[in-house]
């Protein structure tokens, strides 16, 4: 697992990676001892399931890591997405036929490893790019690599909390507290 950040990173980078690793751990820990069926079960009023949350967080992290390197061309123009595009994106939140919890976790581990390597090797956390077109972003806004990493941490932490609620609703097990 990628719970230990690269020790060659600077102090700030090490802090960012350590915080991200902690929240990744909380998210993954919600799936301990579950079957594939349980990981795909909707246990609350929302459409979210544990396997789907992990898929989503992995996809988001992968996209934002690509943004750090490539800028907005690494992401879609969200303002031009069709209903079919959004429906395909919704597949991130579910366990599709043939997907397994082990497979979803392995993919997330690979994304985490790749992100950690990127952060350790970035020449400058201040390097920035304009955000992609999206109704939820202000026009003419730029995010630095540091700001993107903070966003990935926040996204992971938020969904780890969602996962904790889903797991508790599923079988009473809790991740935190």
């Amino acid at each position: 697992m990628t719970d230990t950040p690269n020790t060659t990173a600077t102090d700030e980078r090490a802090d960012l990676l350590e915080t991200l690793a902690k929240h990744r751990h909380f998210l993954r820990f919600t799936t301990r001892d579950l079957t594939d069926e349980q990981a795909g079960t909707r246990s609350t009023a929302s459409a979210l399931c544990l396997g789907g949350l992990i898929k989503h967080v992995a996809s988001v992290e992968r996209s934002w890591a690509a943004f750090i390197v490539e800028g907005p061309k690494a992401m879609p123009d969200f303002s031009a997405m069709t209903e079919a595009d959004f429906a395909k994106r919704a597949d991130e939140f579910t366990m599709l036929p043939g997907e397994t919890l082990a497979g979803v976790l392995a993919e997330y581990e690979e994304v985490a490893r790749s992100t950690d390597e990127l952060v350790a090797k970035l020449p400058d956390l201040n390097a920035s790019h304009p955000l992609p077109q999206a109704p939820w972003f202000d026009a003419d806004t730029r995010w630095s690599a540091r700001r993107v990493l903070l966003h990935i941490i926040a996204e992971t932490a938020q969904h780890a909390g969602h996962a904790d609620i889903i797991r508790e609703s599923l079988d009473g097990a809790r991740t935190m507290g």
Side-chain angles (χ1 to χ4, degrees), residues 1-4 24-25 28-29 105 109 112-113 116:
M1 300 222 173
T2 316
D3 285 282
T4 306
R24 286 176 182 146
H25 167 75
R28 285 192 305 264
F29 190 65
L105 288 169
E109 186 172 340
R113 183 198 57 73
D116 290 352

mmCIF file with all atom_site columns, all heavy atoms in Angstrom, residues 1-4 24-25 28-29 105 109 112-113 116:
data_model
loop_
_atom_site.group_PDB
_atom_site.id
_atom_site.type_symbol
_atom_site.label_atom_id
_atom_site.label_alt_id
_atom_site.label_comp_id
_atom_site.label_asym_id
_atom_site.label_entity_id
_atom_site.label_seq_id
_atom_site.pdbx_PDB_ins_code
_atom_site.Cartn_x
_atom_site.Cartn_y
_atom_site.Cartn_z
_atom_site.occupancy
_atom_site.B_iso_or_equiv
_atom_site.pdbx_formal_charge
_atom_site.auth_seq_id
_atom_site.auth_comp_id
_atom_site.auth_asym_id
_atom_site.auth_atom_id
_atom_site.pdbx_PDB_model_num
ATOM 1   N N   . MET A 1 1   ? 0.835   -1.179 0.000   1.00 0.00 ? 1   MET A N   1
ATOM 2   C CA  . MET A 1 1   ? 0.000   0.000  0.000   1.00 0.00 ? 1   MET A CA  1
ATOM 3   C C   . MET A 1 1   ? 0.878   1.239  0.000   1.00 0.00 ? 1   MET A C   1
ATOM 4   O O   . MET A 1 1   ? 2.005   1.207  0.454   1.00 0.00 ? 1   MET A O   1
ATOM 5   C CB  . MET A 1 1   ? -0.910  0.001  1.205   1.00 0.00 ? 1   MET A CB  1
ATOM 6   C CG  . MET A 1 1   ? -1.824  -1.172 1.278   1.00 0.00 ? 1   MET A CG  1
ATOM 7   S SD  . MET A 1 1   ? -3.434  -0.619 1.789   1.00 0.00 ? 1   MET A SD  1
ATOM 8   C CE  . MET A 1 1   ? -4.277  -2.140 1.577   1.00 0.00 ? 1   MET A CE  1
ATOM 9   N N   . THR A 1 2   ? 0.318   2.340  -0.415  1.00 0.00 ? 2   THR A N   1
ATOM 10  C CA  . THR A 1 2   ? 1.062   3.577  -0.543  1.00 0.00 ? 2   THR A CA  1
ATOM 11  C C   . THR A 1 2   ? 0.712   4.519  0.601   1.00 0.00 ? 2   THR A C   1
ATOM 12  O O   . THR A 1 2   ? 0.337   5.648  0.398   1.00 0.00 ? 2   THR A O   1
ATOM 13  C CB  . THR A 1 2   ? 0.737   4.232  -1.906  1.00 0.00 ? 2   THR A CB  1
ATOM 14  O OG1 . THR A 1 2   ? 0.759   3.233  -2.900  1.00 0.00 ? 2   THR A OG1 1
ATOM 15  C CG2 . THR A 1 2   ? 1.745   5.302  -2.258  1.00 0.00 ? 2   THR A CG2 1
ATOM 16  N N   . ASP A 1 3   ? 0.844   4.046  1.824   1.00 0.00 ? 3   ASP A N   1
ATOM 17  C CA  . ASP A 1 3   ? 0.506   4.866  2.973   1.00 0.00 ? 3   ASP A CA  1
ATOM 18  C C   . ASP A 1 3   ? 1.691   5.675  3.490   1.00 0.00 ? 3   ASP A C   1
ATOM 19  O O   . ASP A 1 3   ? 1.527   6.556  4.299   1.00 0.00 ? 3   ASP A O   1
ATOM 20  C CB  . ASP A 1 3   ? -0.033  4.000  4.121   1.00 0.00 ? 3   ASP A CB  1
ATOM 21  C CG  . ASP A 1 3   ? -1.434  3.550  3.858   1.00 0.00 ? 3   ASP A CG  1
ATOM 22  O OD1 . ASP A 1 3   ? -2.348  4.356  4.049   1.00 0.00 ? 3   ASP A OD1 1
ATOM 23  O OD2 . ASP A 1 3   ? -1.620  2.406  3.447   1.00 0.00 ? 3   ASP A OD2 1
ATOM 24  N N   . THR A 1 4   ? 2.906   5.391  3.037   1.00 0.00 ? 4   THR A N   1
ATOM 25  C CA  . THR A 1 4   ? 4.081   6.106  3.488   1.00 0.00 ? 4   THR A CA  1
ATOM 26  C C   . THR A 1 4   ? 4.599   6.972  2.357   1.00 0.00 ? 4   THR A C   1
ATOM 27  O O   . THR A 1 4   ? 4.954   6.461  1.304   1.00 0.00 ? 4   THR A O   1
ATOM 28  C CB  . THR A 1 4   ? 5.173   5.105  3.925   1.00 0.00 ? 4   THR A CB  1
ATOM 29  O OG1 . THR A 1 4   ? 4.625   4.223  4.889   1.00 0.00 ? 4   THR A OG1 1
ATOM 30  C CG2 . THR A 1 4   ? 6.359   5.847  4.509   1.00 0.00 ? 4   THR A CG2 1
ATOM 31  N N   . ARG A 1 24  ? -6.336  8.554  2.371   1.00 0.00 ? 24  ARG A N   1
ATOM 32  C CA  . ARG A 1 24  ? -6.461  7.367  1.515   1.00 0.00 ? 24  ARG A CA  1
ATOM 33  C C   . ARG A 1 24  ? -6.656  6.123  2.372   1.00 0.00 ? 24  ARG A C   1
ATOM 34  O O   . ARG A 1 24  ? -7.462  5.255  2.050   1.00 0.00 ? 24  ARG A O   1
ATOM 35  C CB  . ARG A 1 24  ? -5.205  7.187  0.659   1.00 0.00 ? 24  ARG A CB  1
ATOM 36  C CG  . ARG A 1 24  ? -5.050  8.138  -0.495  1.00 0.00 ? 24  ARG A CG  1
ATOM 37  C CD  . ARG A 1 24  ? -3.715  7.852  -1.141  1.00 0.00 ? 24  ARG A CD  1
ATOM 38  N NE  . ARG A 1 24  ? -3.394  8.709  -2.246  1.00 0.00 ? 24  ARG A NE  1
ATOM 39  C CZ  . ARG A 1 24  ? -2.151  9.084  -2.517  1.00 0.00 ? 24  ARG A CZ  1
ATOM 40  N NH1 . ARG A 1 24  ? -1.125  8.681  -1.764  1.00 0.00 ? 24  ARG A NH1 1
ATOM 41  N NH2 . ARG A 1 24  ? -1.920  9.851  -3.561  1.00 0.00 ? 24  ARG A NH2 1
ATOM 42  N N   . HIS A 1 25  ? -5.883  6.039  3.448   1.00 0.00 ? 25  HIS A N   1
ATOM 43  C CA  . HIS A 1 25  ? -6.006  4.884  4.344   1.00 0.00 ? 25  HIS A CA  1
ATOM 44  C C   . HIS A 1 25  ? -7.420  4.799  4.915   1.00 0.00 ? 25  HIS A C   1
ATOM 45  O O   . HIS A 1 25  ? -8.018  3.714  4.936   1.00 0.00 ? 25  HIS A O   1
ATOM 46  C CB  . HIS A 1 25  ? -4.985  4.956  5.480   1.00 0.00 ? 25  HIS A CB  1
ATOM 47  C CG  . HIS A 1 25  ? -5.261  3.985  6.572   1.00 0.00 ? 25  HIS A CG  1
ATOM 48  N ND1 . HIS A 1 25  ? -4.995  2.627  6.450   1.00 0.00 ? 25  HIS A ND1 1
ATOM 49  C CD2 . HIS A 1 25  ? -5.827  4.145  7.787   1.00 0.00 ? 25  HIS A CD2 1
ATOM 50  C CE1 . HIS A 1 25  ? -5.381  2.012  7.557   1.00 0.00 ? 25  HIS A CE1 1
ATOM 51  N NE2 . HIS A 1 25  ? -5.883  2.915  8.379   1.00 0.00 ? 25  HIS A NE2 1
ATOM 52  N N   . ARG A 1 28  ? -9.743  3.494  2.173   1.00 0.00 ? 28  ARG A N   1
ATOM 53  C CA  . ARG A 1 28  ? -9.556  2.052  1.904   1.00 0.00 ? 28  ARG A CA  1
ATOM 54  C C   . ARG A 1 28  ? -10.004 1.198  3.081   1.00 0.00 ? 28  ARG A C   1
ATOM 55  O O   . ARG A 1 28  ? -10.562 0.123  2.891   1.00 0.00 ? 28  ARG A O   1
ATOM 56  C CB  . ARG A 1 28  ? -8.092  1.762  1.577   1.00 0.00 ? 28  ARG A CB  1
ATOM 57  C CG  . ARG A 1 28  ? -7.681  2.203  0.201   1.00 0.00 ? 28  ARG A CG  1
ATOM 58  C CD  . ARG A 1 28  ? -6.324  1.639  -0.179  1.00 0.00 ? 28  ARG A CD  1
ATOM 59  N NE  . ARG A 1 28  ? -5.291  1.950  0.778   1.00 0.00 ? 28  ARG A NE  1
ATOM 60  C CZ  . ARG A 1 28  ? -4.445  2.974  0.685   1.00 0.00 ? 28  ARG A CZ  1
ATOM 61  N NH1 . ARG A 1 28  ? -4.514  3.779  -0.342  1.00 0.00 ? 28  ARG A NH1 1
ATOM 62  N NH2 . ARG A 1 28  ? -3.534  3.175  1.599   1.00 0.00 ? 28  ARG A NH2 1
ATOM 63  N N   . PHE A 1 29  ? -9.765  1.670  4.297   1.00 0.00 ? 29  PHE A N   1
ATOM 64  C CA  . PHE A 1 29  ? -10.082 0.901  5.495   1.00 0.00 ? 29  PHE A CA  1
ATOM 65  C C   . PHE A 1 29  ? -11.580 0.625  5.622   1.00 0.00 ? 29  PHE A C   1
ATOM 66  O O   . PHE A 1 29  ? -11.979 -0.372 6.220   1.00 0.00 ? 29  PHE A O   1
ATOM 67  C CB  . PHE A 1 29  ? -9.549  1.632  6.740   1.00 0.00 ? 29  PHE A CB  1
ATOM 68  C CG  . PHE A 1 29  ? -9.613  0.822  7.997   1.00 0.00 ? 29  PHE A CG  1
ATOM 69  C CD1 . PHE A 1 29  ? -8.860  -0.335 8.137   1.00 0.00 ? 29  PHE A CD1 1
ATOM 70  C CD2 . PHE A 1 29  ? -10.418 1.230  9.050   1.00 0.00 ? 29  PHE A CD2 1
ATOM 71  C CE1 . PHE A 1 29  ? -8.913  -1.088 9.305   1.00 0.00 ? 29  PHE A CE1 1
ATOM 72  C CE2 . PHE A 1 29  ? -10.478 0.490  10.221  1.00 0.00 ? 29  PHE A CE2 1
ATOM 73  C CZ  . PHE A 1 29  ? -9.723  -0.673 10.354  1.00 0.00 ? 29  PHE A CZ  1
ATOM 74  N N   . LEU A 1 105 ? -9.390  -1.543 -5.579  1.00 0.00 ? 105 LEU A N   1
ATOM 75  C CA  . LEU A 1 105 ? -8.345  -1.142 -4.633  1.00 0.00 ? 105 LEU A CA  1
ATOM 76  C C   . LEU A 1 105 ? -6.964  -1.152 -5.280  1.00 0.00 ? 105 LEU A C   1
ATOM 77  O O   . LEU A 1 105 ? -6.141  -0.264 -5.010  1.00 0.00 ? 105 LEU A O   1
ATOM 78  C CB  . LEU A 1 105 ? -8.361  -2.055 -3.400  1.00 0.00 ? 105 LEU A CB  1
ATOM 79  C CG  . LEU A 1 105 ? -9.546  -1.851 -2.461  1.00 0.00 ? 105 LEU A CG  1
ATOM 80  C CD1 . LEU A 1 105 ? -9.609  -2.982 -1.438  1.00 0.00 ? 105 LEU A CD1 1
ATOM 81  C CD2 . LEU A 1 105 ? -9.481  -0.499 -1.770  1.00 0.00 ? 105 LEU A CD2 1
ATOM 82  N N   . GLU A 1 109 ? -4.488  2.023  -5.614  1.00 0.00 ? 109 GLU A N   1
ATOM 83  C CA  . GLU A 1 109 ? -3.106  1.966  -5.135  1.00 0.00 ? 109 GLU A CA  1
ATOM 84  C C   . GLU A 1 109 ? -2.135  2.427  -6.221  1.00 0.00 ? 109 GLU A C   1
ATOM 85  O O   . GLU A 1 109 ? -1.178  3.162  -5.947  1.00 0.00 ? 109 GLU A O   1
ATOM 86  C CB  . GLU A 1 109 ? -2.761  0.554  -4.676  1.00 0.00 ? 109 GLU A CB  1
ATOM 87  C CG  . GLU A 1 109 ? -1.395  0.460  -4.042  1.00 0.00 ? 109 GLU A CG  1
ATOM 88  C CD  . GLU A 1 109 ? -1.127  -0.898 -3.421  1.00 0.00 ? 109 GLU A CD  1
ATOM 89  O OE1 . GLU A 1 109 ? -2.070  -1.649 -3.128  1.00 0.00 ? 109 GLU A OE1 1
ATOM 90  O OE2 . GLU A 1 109 ? 0.069   -1.210 -3.227  1.00 0.00 ? 109 GLU A OE2 1
ATOM 91  N N   . ALA A 1 112 ? -2.402  6.179  -6.545  1.00 0.00 ? 112 ALA A N   1
ATOM 92  C CA  . ALA A 1 112 ? -1.735  6.806  -5.399  1.00 0.00 ? 112 ALA A CA  1
ATOM 93  C C   . ALA A 1 112 ? -0.218  6.775  -5.580  1.00 0.00 ? 112 ALA A C   1
ATOM 94  O O   . ALA A 1 112 ? 0.466   7.789  -5.346  1.00 0.00 ? 112 ALA A O   1
ATOM 95  C CB  . ALA A 1 112 ? -2.134  6.092  -4.109  1.00 0.00 ? 112 ALA A CB  1
ATOM 96  N N   . ARG A 1 113 ? 0.324   5.653  -5.991  1.00 0.00 ? 113 ARG A N   1
ATOM 97  C CA  . ARG A 1 113 ? 1.766   5.533  -6.207  1.00 0.00 ? 113 ARG A CA  1
ATOM 98  C C   . ARG A 1 113 ? 2.236   6.544  -7.247  1.00 0.00 ? 113 ARG A C   1
ATOM 99  O O   . ARG A 1 113 ? 3.225   7.254  -7.061  1.00 0.00 ? 113 ARG A O   1
ATOM 100 C CB  . ARG A 1 113 ? 2.129   4.114  -6.639  1.00 0.00 ? 113 ARG A CB  1
ATOM 101 C CG  . ARG A 1 113 ? 3.644   3.894  -6.801  1.00 0.00 ? 113 ARG A CG  1
ATOM 102 C CD  . ARG A 1 113 ? 3.967   2.667  -7.632  1.00 0.00 ? 113 ARG A CD  1
ATOM 103 N NE  . ARG A 1 113 ? 3.366   2.689  -8.963  1.00 0.00 ? 113 ARG A NE  1
ATOM 104 C CZ  . ARG A 1 113 ? 3.769   3.467  -9.977  1.00 0.00 ? 113 ARG A CZ  1
ATOM 105 N NH1 . ARG A 1 113 ? 4.776   4.301  -9.820  1.00 0.00 ? 113 ARG A NH1 1
ATOM 106 N NH2 . ARG A 1 113 ? 3.163   3.420  -11.160 1.00 0.00 ? 113 ARG A NH2 1
ATOM 107 N N   . ASP A 1 116 ? 2.080   10.114 -5.839  1.00 0.00 ? 116 ASP A N   1
ATOM 108 C CA  . ASP A 1 116 ? 3.163   10.329 -4.872  1.00 0.00 ? 116 ASP A CA  1
ATOM 109 C C   . ASP A 1 116 ? 4.498   10.550 -5.587  1.00 0.00 ? 116 ASP A C   1
ATOM 110 O O   . ASP A 1 116 ? 5.280   11.427 -5.210  1.00 0.00 ? 116 ASP A O   1
ATOM 111 C CB  . ASP A 1 116 ? 3.274   9.145  -3.909  1.00 0.00 ? 116 ASP A CB  1
ATOM 112 C CG  . ASP A 1 116 ? 2.108   9.056  -2.941  1.00 0.00 ? 116 ASP A CG  1
ATOM 113 O OD1 . ASP A 1 116 ? 1.274   9.984  -2.901  1.00 0.00 ? 116 ASP A OD1 1
ATOM 114 O OD2 . ASP A 1 116 ? 2.035   8.037  -2.222  1.00 0.00 ? 116 ASP A OD2 1
#
